[in-house]
Amino acid sequence: STALLAYLRAVRSGGRLVYRLEDLDGPREAPGSAASIVEDLRWLGITWSEGPDLGGPHAPYVQSHRLERYAEAVARLERSGHIYGCTCSRKEIAEVLSAPHGRFPASQLYPGTCRSGPTANANGPVALRFRAGGAVVVRDALAPEMAVDTATDPGDAIVRRRDGCFAYHLAVVVDDFHQGITEIVRGSDLLMATPRQILLQRALGFPMPRYLHIPVATNPAGEKLSKQTK
């Protein structure tokens, strides 16, 4: 439904639809899934102006082929003092955030433990976090306006994991800029990711695109439909 709405909005506005393959999390990618997605979209009658199969002026359109762009962005953020190393494990963060916390699920929050320097395992692999701070107002074409104090809610986002993999937040911000994206249509489950992405856009000097977050399909229990839920 998200792809169909994005296609219809692009057609109506005389714009172009960009198909980008977001494949940075290689171990979780099922073999043949990329070809299956293209086949399904074509069956629905959805076409795009640029993409891995068509090419275009902003190629490549596969994120795993754009790693140099992400590394350049991280280097810029490091030079400007926006990045710091973090050795916290998910378990350690969960222990600090055991109490309920605002609008963001605990899996998206960070209490700032390593902001002044890694506290343990300093000689081992470290993740890189973006130092958040300041108010962000998210204006969406469908959702109500949302004001967020990013210093604590949701806190500092990872931009590069311990294993060297670049994070979704960083990759999409870099790609949206370099591929000339002016409107982002996606599911409402990603609405809470927007404040962090707006901060990254500001730090990198990128313009902010327009956003449209649409409701996602759920099962009777209210869970988003996915490979894990039916």
Side-chain angles (χ1 to χ4, degrees):
S1 59
T2 304
L4 180 58
L5 181 56
Y7 167 69
L8 292 174
R9 287 181 69 87
V11 170
R12 180 179 179 182
S13 64
R16 57 185 176 84
L17 182 65
V18 176
Y19 172 53
R20 183 170 68 214
L21 181 60
E22 299 178 350
D23 64 340
L24 289 181
D25 201 351
R28 297 179 60 186
E29 184 180 352
S33 59
S36 176
I37 291 171
V38 170
E39 183 179 344
D40 291 345
L41 293 175
R42 296 290 192 196
W43 181 83
L44 288 168
I46 298 174
T47 59
W48 42 91
S49 305
E50 304 172 30
D53 55 333
L54 300 177
H58 306 103
Y61 295 91
V62 179
Q63 286 191 329
S64 60
H65 299 170
R66 299 177 60 84
L67 302 184
E68 289 186 6
R69 292 277 194 185
Y70 311 143
E72 290 171 2
V74 168
R76 285 181 57 189
L77 293 170
E78 285 184 303
R79 289 194 297 269
S80 60
H82 286 94
I83 296 293
Y84 64 90
C86 175
T87 57
C88 295
S89 66
R90 291 185 179 181
K91 180 180 179 181
E92 291 167 340
I93 295 171
E95 289 173 351
V96 175
L97 298 172
S98 57
H101 190 99
R103 295 170 292 190
F104 294 82
S107 61
Q108 296 182 18
L109 300 171
Y110 182 66
T113 308
C114 289
R115 268 191 161 222
S116 299
T119 57
N121 303 320
N123 295 323
V126 297
L128 296 181
R129 286 189 181 272
F130 174 80
R131 195 181 301 274
V136 167
V137 176
V138 179
R139 295 181 176 88
D140 185 86
L142 185 61
E145 183 173 291
M146 178 176 67
V148 176
D149 179 2
T150 61
T152 56
D153 196 4
D156 303 340
I158 287 179
V159 293
R160 196 187 71 194
R161 299 187 328 206
R162 289 189 188 189
D163 61 4
C165 181
F166 294 102
Y168 165 80
H169 297 292
L170 176 83
V172 295
V173 164
V174 172
D175 289 344
D176 289 340
F177 171 70
H178 288 291
Q179 293 173 346
I181 304 301
T182 57
E183 181 176 82
I184 296 170
V185 180
R186 60 189 183 187
S188 58
D189 55 317
L190 289 170
L191 178 61
M192 293 304 180
T194 309
R196 282 173 163 168
Q197 292 167 21
I198 291 175
L199 281 185
L200 284 166
Q201 291 159 6
R202 289 179 182 175
L204 290 166
F206 296 165
M208 183 176 67
R210 297 185 301 273
Y211 289 95
L212 173 59
H213 292 86
I214 65 173
V216 297
T218 62
N219 63 16
E223 301 169 316
K224 175 188 173 183
L225 292 181
S226 67
K227 294 186 290 292
Q228 288 77 34
T229 58
K230 298 180 179 180

